[in-house]
Amino acid sequence: MLSQSTLFGLAVATLASMAAIIRYSHDTLTISLGFATIAGVVSYYMLPQLIPVFILSNIVGKDVLKKDRPVLAETMGLPAAIIYLVAMFLFVPFPFMSFFNGNATLVHDEQPIAGVFPYHKLSEILSALLAIQSMALLGFADDVFDVRWRYKVWFPAIAAIPLLIVYYTNFGVTWVMVPLQLRPYLGELVELGWLYYVFMLLYSVFCTHSINILAGINGLEAGQSIVIALSIAINDLLFIQDKQATSPAVETHLFSLYLILPFIGVTAGLLWHNWYPARLFVGDTYCYFAGMTFAVVGILGHFTKTLMLFFIPQIFNFIYSAPQIFRLIECPRHRMPKYNPETNKLEPSMASLQKKPVGKLGKIILKLFSTFGLVRIIYNEQGEPTDCNNFTLINLVLVWFGPMNEGKTTAVILLIQGLCSCIGFFIRYKLVQYVY
Amino acid sequence: MLSQSTLFGLAVATLASMAAIIRYSHDTLTISLGFATIAGVVSYYMLPQLIPVFILSNIVGKDVLKKDRPVLAETMGLPAAIIYLVAMFLFVPFPFMSFFNGNATLVHDEQPIAGVFPYHKLSEILSALLAIQSMALLGFADDVFDVRWRYKVWFPAIAAIPLLIVYYTNFGVTWVMVPLQLRPYLGELVELGWLYYVFMLLYSVFCTHSINILAGINGLEAGQSIVIALSIAINDLLFIQDKQATSPAVETHLFSLYLILPFIGVTAGLLWHNWYPARLFVGDTYCYFAGMTFAVVGILGHFTKTLMLFFIPQIFNFIYSAPQIFRLIECPRHRMPKYNPETNKLEPSMASLQKKPVGKLGKIILKLFSTFGLVRIIYNEQGEPTDCNNFTLINLVLVWFGPMNEGKTTAVILLIQGLCSCIGFFIRYKLVQYVY
C-alpha cells in the first residue's frame, strides 16, 4: 500500500520527532511540534489500513462526482480525531513538566490551592479537550444516525459550557473595545456582561457548523481547515516573537499552538488520502472536530475577532447561501456542483427560477448579485430568466473560472482561502491602526 | 407509547426537581439530586423514541435468548451517556456557584492563581468527565466497528491520563497502609511511587472492562451497575454524615456523589426498557461508560479498596472465567446460557471436555471447582467426564438454582450483587479494625 521509500521517510520523521522530544524536553513548543509530527505520521499510515474495517461495518458514502461513483469509507475524521485526542492526552503533562521533575515546587496539604501549580492552565486544556471531544462524539453520532438539524445545531453550545466556566474564572473579560469611529457615541469600551457569554456560545456554534457547510468535493473540508489552522499558527508565532516570554499574551498564544499544531498534523495525514481522487471521506465527524478546535482556540486564545478574519470564505459562503436557505430563491435538496462525465469536469449546478415565482425581494437579490457578477442567470427565448446557479462558493468558483476538474476546483478554493487569510493579516496588522 | 398517568408522573418528578434546584440552589447536593431526577426522566422518555432511529441506521442486535429472536436497537448506552454528560456539563457551575453570584471573591489579574477560585476542584470534575466521555466514544466505536481486544483493552489507560495528572497535583499520595498483620515485616506504610500510577491505570482498565464481561442477558449490565452505583452513593452518604462539613474527606465524597447520582438517574431510565423482555440493548458503549464512571469515582474519591468490595461478583466472575480464557479448559466462542424454547427458561451452556484432552492443571481445577460446587460435570456411561458448564457467573447461577426464566436469572444475580455489597460494607466498617 505504501512504498518502501515513503515508509522510510515516515520512520525518519517519527524518529526525528522523538529525538526532538527527548533532546528539547525543556522546550514545550518543540515537544508539541514533535507530537504533531508523530500524530501526522500515524494518521497518514493508519487511516488507509482502517478503510476495510469501515467498509465492512457499512460506514460508507458514494463519491457521486466520479464516472463510476465509487463507494468509499466515510467518517474517517473519527480515527483522525481519536489520534489527535490521544496525542493531546499524552502531551498534557508536558507544559507542567517543571512541576513534575522537581524543578519547581508543588504543595500538597489541606489546601492544595495554596500550592503554586497552575491549575487554571490545566483547567483550560482540559475544558478545551472536553469541548473538542464532545464534538467528535456528536459528529460520529450524526454520521451514523443523521441527527436532525434542529437538534444538532445547538450541541456545540452545550459542549462549550465547561469552556465558558474556565473563561469566566480565568479571564472574566466581557467588554469589547469600540472602533475609533464609534467612540464619540459609545465610549472607548462597551461592557457586554452576560451577553458576551451568549456571544461565545453562538461563536462556537458558528465555527463548528461553518466547516460543514463549505463541503462536498474531495479535499475541501480538510483543505480549508489546514489553511485556517496554518493561519492561526502563523498569527500565534507572530505574537510570540513580538512579546516578552513572560507576558500573558504569549502564554495564551502558546496554548493556542499546543492545540493547533497536532491538529495540523492529523489533518495533513487525512488530507493526503482525501485529496482528489479521494480514497476516503472525512465525514461530519471531522468538520465538527475541526470547527470546535478553532472555536476553542479563538475563545481561550482571546482572538475571536482575528480568527473571524481567517473565516472570510466561510462567512461569505454563509451569507451568499442565505437567499436559498430562507427560500427567497428555490433551493433544491442538493446544491453540489454537477459532474459532466464527457469532460470529466465539474459545472455549476442550477436552481429553477420558474418552479415557483420569484418574489420581489428575490428579484432584488438576483439583480444585486448580477451587478457584482455573483450569479449566472440563464434566459429562455422570450428573454425571461429560467435558471440560476445554486448559491454556494463552489458553484460561484465554477461560474467565474468555468468548468474545472474536481481537484483543481478544490485547489482554487483553497487558494482563495489562503488569499483571504493574507487579507486578514493585512487588516489585523496594518489597517487596525485606523480602527483601534 | 407512554400512558397518560406515566407522563403525568414524569412531569411531576421533573417539576419537583426543578423546584428543588431553584429552592435549594445554595445546597449543591440537592441540585445534583434534581439533575439526577431530570436525567432519569429524560432517558426514560427519550430512549424508546430513539429506537426507530437506531433500527433505521441498522445499529441493531438479535435477542437470541427468546423464542422469536427479535431484532432490537443496540448501543442505547450512547444516548444514555450523552444525557448524562449534558446533565453534568450543565451541573458543573453549581459547586462553584458561590464564586459566580458574588458571595465569594474571584481575583482577575496577571496571576489568576492568586485568586481563591478552587481550580483544583474544577480540574477534577473536568478530567473525570473527559475520561468518562472518552470511554463513551470508544464504546460507540467498538459497537460500530468491533475493535479488536488487543487494541481496546488499553484505551481506558489512555483516557485516564488527565485523571492521573490531576491526582498527582491534587493529592500525590502514593503510599498504602499495610495491614496490621504484615506491619512487623513491611512497616506501617509502603511507598509505591510511580507504581501507584501504574496501579491506577490498571484499575481503570479493570473497572471499564469488568462490567462488559458479566453481560449477555437482559438487564444485567445496567442492573449490576445500578447496584454498584447505589452502594457507592450509600458509602458516600455514610462518610458525609460521619464527618465535619469542612473535612477534605467530605469534599471528595461529595464529588463522588455529584458524579454518581446522575449516573443512577440515566441508568434507571435505561434499565426500565432493558429489563426482561428487553425493548433495547445497552451495548458496549454503556458498559465502558459505566465502568469508567466507577473507576473515576474510586480514584478521585480515594476509595479504590472500598470500591473493589462492591465489585466482588465481577472479580469472582473474572477469576472463575480464567481457566477457560487461558484455555486450560475448552472455551467455545460464546458462553451465554442456553435458551430452552419448550420451557421458556435458561439452562447452563456446556463446554466439551473431550474435544481436546484436558491437561493436568485443568484436571486439578475441575476437581477443585467440583469440591466447592462450582461446576456441573456430565459423565458418559463409562464414567468419563464429557462436558462441564461454561465458567461464567450466569451459568453457575443456573447450575445452582436450576433452569430459570431470563428475567428471574438477572434478578437472582442482582440479588447476589446486593448481598456482596452488604458483605462489602460489613468488611469496610466492621472487620476493618482487625486489619488496619
Side-chain angles (χ1 to χ4, degrees):
Chain A
M1 193 172 282
L2 298 169
S3 72
Q4 279 210 322
S5 63
T6 325
L7 270 178
F8 181 72
L10 293 177
V12 168
T14 311
L15 285 176
S17 315
M18 285 177 168
I21 289 179
I22 294 163
R23 172 72 183 78
Y24 297 100
S25 63
H26 59 282
D27 178 13
T28 316
L29 194 53
T30 314
I31 292 166
S32 173
L33 206 60
F35 271 101
T37 314
I38 294 174
V41 170
V42 170
S43 70
Y44 171 77
Y45 182 68
M46 211 168 150
L47 297 183
Q49 300 193 316
L50 288 173
I51 291 176
V53 179
F54 278 57
I55 289 177
L56 212 69
S57 306
N58 204 31
I59 304 293
V60 291
K62 225 177 231 167
D63 196 350
V64 294
L65 300 181
K66 303 287 182 299
K67 215 168 256 175
D68 49 350
R69 299 164 69 94
V71 170
L72 303 185
E74 191 34 297
T75 317
M76 274 287 165
L78 177 72
I82 291 177
I83 292 167
Y84 173 81
L85 287 166
V86 170
M88 286 306 299
F89 278 23
L90 294 173
F91 171 76
V92 167
F94 284 93
F96 310 103
M97 206 39 105
S98 58
F99 295 92
F100 297 142
N101 60 14
N103 291 342
T105 47
L106 184 70
V107 179
H108 289 127
D109 54 17
E110 298 301 288
Q111 287 226 290
I113 198 63
V116 291
F117 187 83
Y119 285 106
H120 62 297
K121 298 310 280 182
L122 181 60
S123 301
E124 268 183 35
I125 295 193
L126 294 179
S127 68
L129 294 180
L130 202 51
I132 293 169
Q133 187 172 262
S134 298
M135 282 303 104
L137 184 59
L138 169 71
F140 186 26
D142 190 21
D143 277 326
V144 174
F145 299 115
D146 246 328
V147 181
R148 287 190 207 150
W149 257 101
R150 65 181 129 159
Y151 299 123
K152 70 186 183 194
V153 72
W154 296 113
F155 262 69
I158 294 172
I161 290 176
L163 211 64
L164 296 203
I165 298 173
V166 171
Y167 185 90
Y168 180 85
T169 58
N170 280 10
F171 314 108
V173 176
T174 56
W175 44 261
V176 284
M177 207 173 263
V178 176
L180 291 173
Q181 292 76 5
L182 294 175
R183 285 194 195 167
Y185 316 105
L186 296 172
E188 198 177 343
L189 300 174
V190 166
E191 171 63 44
L192 290 180
W194 60 269
L195 273 177
Y196 195 80
Y197 290 89
V198 175
F199 158 73
M200 284 190 285
L201 288 181
L202 295 178
Y203 192 84
S204 60
V205 170
F206 171 78
C207 288
T208 303
H209 292 298
S210 68
I211 307 291
N212 204 16
I213 288 170
L214 182 53
I217 61 178
N218 290 176
L220 187 55
E221 300 89 347
Q224 63 182 305
S225 300
I226 221 167
V227 175
I228 296 172
L230 284 171
S231 309
I232 293 174
I234 292 168
N235 183 53
D236 289 332
L237 289 170
L238 286 173
F239 241 92
I240 290 172
Q241 271 209 319
D242 226 37
K243 309 260 172 164
Q244 283 196 312
T246 49
S247 116
V250 168
E251 232 180 45
T252 53
H253 282 279
L254 269 176
F255 171 84
S256 160
L257 277 172
Y258 298 158
L259 283 171
I260 217 73
L261 291 180
F263 176 81
I264 293 173
V266 294
T267 301
L270 183 65
L271 182 57
W272 184 272
H273 305 293
N274 180 237
W275 191 261
Y276 175 85
R279 296 172 59 192
L280 46 81
F281 288 132
V282 302
D284 288 355
T285 312
Y286 177 76
C287 300
Y288 293 173
F289 156 57
M292 192 44 124
T293 305
F294 298 144
V296 161
V297 159
I299 290 173
L300 291 184
H302 286 278
F303 53 87
T304 45
K305 275 180 294 186
T306 307
L307 182 58
M308 277 303 102
L309 294 175
F310 305 142
F311 269 84
I312 294 172
Q314 284 71 26
I315 295 170
F316 172 83
N317 187 51
F318 181 71
I319 296 171
Y320 184 53
S321 291
Q324 282 194 306
I325 289 173
F326 296 111
R327 296 292 190 277
L328 300 173
I329 306 285
E330 205 246 326
C331 183
R333 182 139 169 57
H334 289 291
R335 303 192 298 163
M336 267 196 291
K338 216 170 62 191
Y339 174 68
N340 185 338
E342 309 279 311
T343 58
N344 195 28
K345 287 182 176 177
L346 300 185
E347 297 169 5
S349 65
M350 309 301 276
S352 166
L353 294 172
Q354 298 195 313
K355 234 183 217 167
K356 67 173 197 200
V358 177
K360 210 170 176 182
L361 199 57
K363 276 182 185 152
I364 295 173
I365 286 164
L366 275 180
K367 184 124 195 190
L368 200 72
F369 277 10
S370 168
T371 310
F372 290 100
L374 293 174
V375 65
R376 168 183 297 168
I377 301 176
I378 293 174
Y379 298 89
N380 64 9
E381 288 166 4
Q382 287 79 46
E384 293 161 352
T386 60
D387 297 275
C388 70
N389 64 289
N390 281 311
F391 297 160
T392 70
L393 182 57
I394 305 175
N395 284 314
L396 184 60
V397 163
L398 293 168
V399 165
W400 279 345
F401 298 93
M404 280 185 291
N405 159 299
E406 188 177 352
K408 206 172 155 192
T409 311
T410 307
V412 169
I413 296 176
L414 296 190
L415 210 65
I416 293 173
Q417 182 96 42
L419 283 174
C420 287
S421 279
C422 293
I423 296 171
F425 276 112
F426 181 71
I427 296 174
R428 171 68 185 80
Y429 288 92
K430 294 293 168 198
L431 282 191
V432 71
Q433 50 193 309
Y434 302 107
V435 184
Y436 290 109
Chain B
M1 193 172 283
L2 298 170
S3 73
Q4 282 211 319
S5 63
T6 325
L7 270 178
F8 181 73
L10 292 178
V12 169
T14 312
L15 285 176
S17 315
M18 285 177 168
I21 289 179
I22 294 163
R23 172 73 183 77
Y24 297 99
S25 61
H26 60 281
D27 178 12
T28 315
L29 193 53
T30 314
I31 292 166
S32 173
L33 207 58
F35 271 101
T37 314
I38 294 174
V41 170
V42 170
S43 70
Y44 171 77
Y45 182 68
M46 211 167 148
L47 298 183
Q49 300 193 315
L50 289 173
I51 290 176
V53 179
F54 277 57
I55 289 177
L56 213 67
S57 306
N58 205 31
I59 303 294
V60 291
K62 226 177 229 165
D63 196 350
V64 294
L65 300 181
K66 304 285 184 299
K67 216 168 255 174
D68 49 350
R69 299 164 69 95
V71 169
L72 303 185
E74 193 31 298
T75 317
M76 274 288 165
L78 177 71
I82 290 177
I83 292 167
Y84 173 81
L85 287 165
V86 170
M88 285 307 299
F89 278 23
L90 294 172
F91 170 76
V92 168
F94 285 93
F96 310 102
M97 207 37 107
S98 57
F99 296 93
F100 298 143
N101 60 14
N103 291 341
T105 48
L106 184 68
V107 179
H108 287 128
D109 55 17
E110 296 302 287
Q111 288 229 288
I113 198 62
V116 291
F117 187 83
Y119 286 106
H120 62 295
K121 298 310 281 181
L122 181 59
S123 301
E124 269 184 33
I125 295 193
L126 294 179
S127 67
L129 294 180
L130 202 51
I132 294 169
Q133 188 173 261
S134 299
M135 282 303 103
L137 185 60
L138 169 71
F140 186 24
D142 190 22
D143 277 326
V144 174
F145 300 113
D146 246 328
V147 181
R148 286 190 208 150
W149 258 101
R150 64 180 130 160
Y151 300 123
K152 69 187 183 193
V153 71
W154 296 113
F155 262 69
I158 295 173
I161 290 176
L163 212 64
L164 295 203
I165 297 174
V166 171
Y167 184 90
Y168 179 86
T169 58
N170 280 11
F171 313 108
V173 176
T174 55
W175 44 260
V176 284
M177 207 173 264
V178 176
L180 290 174
Q181 292 75 6
L182 293 175
R183 284 192 195 166
Y185 316 106
L186 295 171
E188 198 176 343
L189 301 173
V190 165
E191 170 63 44
L192 290 179
W194 60 268
L195 272 177
Y196 194 80
Y197 290 88
V198 175
F199 158 73
M200 284 190 284
L201 288 181
L202 294 179
Y203 192 83
S204 62
V205 170
F206 171 78
C207 288
T208 303
H209 292 299
S210 68
I211 307 291
N212 204 16
I213 288 170
L214 181 52
I217 61 177
N218 290 176
L220 186 54
E221 300 89 347
Q224 64 182 307
S225 300
I226 221 167
V227 175
I228 296 172
L230 284 171
S231 308
I232 293 174
I234 292 168
N235 183 53
D236 289 333
L237 288 170
L238 286 174
F239 240 93
I240 291 170
Q241 271 208 320
D242 226 37
K243 308 262 170 160
Q244 283 196 311
T246 49
S247 115
V250 168
E251 233 179 45
T252 53
H253 282 281
L254 269 176
F255 170 85
S256 160
L257 277 173
Y258 298 158
L259 284 171
I260 217 72
L261 291 180
F263 176 81
I264 294 173
V266 294
T267 301
L270 183 65
L271 182 58
W272 185 273
H273 305 293
N274 180 236
W275 191 261
Y276 175 84
R279 295 171 60 193
L280 46 81
F281 288 132
V282 302
D284 288 354
T285 312
Y286 176 76
C287 300
Y288 292 173
F289 156 56
M292 192 45 124
T293 305
F294 298 144
V296 161
V297 159
I299 290 173
L300 291 183
H302 286 279
F303 53 87
T304 45
K305 276 179 293 184
T306 307
L307 182 57
M308 278 304 101
L309 294 175
F310 305 142
F311 269 83
I312 294 172
Q314 284 71 25
I315 295 169
F316 171 83
N317 188 52
F318 181 70
I319 296 171
Y320 184 52
S321 291
Q324 283 194 304
I325 290 172
F326 296 110
R327 296 292 189 280
L328 299 174
I329 307 286
E330 205 247 325
C331 183
R333 182 138 169 59
H334 290 290
R335 304 192 298 163
M336 267 196 292
K338 216 170 62 191
Y339 174 68
N340 184 338
E342 309 278 310
T343 58
N344 194 31
K345 286 182 176 177
L346 301 186
E347 297 169 4
S349 65
M350 310 300 277
S352 167
L353 294 172
Q354 298 196 312
K355 235 182 216 166
K356 68 173 195 195
V358 178
K360 211 170 174 182
L361 201 55
K363 275 179 187 156
I364 294 172
I365 286 165
L366 275 179
K367 185 123 195 191
L368 202 71
F369 278 10
S370 170
T371 310
F372 290 100
L374 293 174
V375 65
R376 168 183 297 168
I377 302 176
I378 293 174
Y379 298 88
N380 64 9
E381 287 167 5
Q382 285 79 44
E384 292 161 354
T386 60
D387 297 275
C388 70
N389 64 288
N390 281 312
F391 296 160
T392 70
L393 182 57
I394 305 175
N395 284 314
L396 184 60
V397 163
L398 293 168
V399 165
W400 280 344
F401 298 93
M404 280 186 291
N405 158 300
E406 188 177 351
K408 207 173 154 192
T409 311
T410 307
V412 168
I413 296 175
L414 296 190
L415 211 65
I416 293 172
Q417 181 96 44
L419 283 174
C420 287
S421 279
C422 293
I423 296 171
F425 277 112
F426 181 72
I427 296 173
R428 172 68 187 78
Y429 289 92
K430 294 292 168 201
L431 282 192
V432 72
Q433 50 194 308
Y434 302 108
V435 185
Y436 288 110

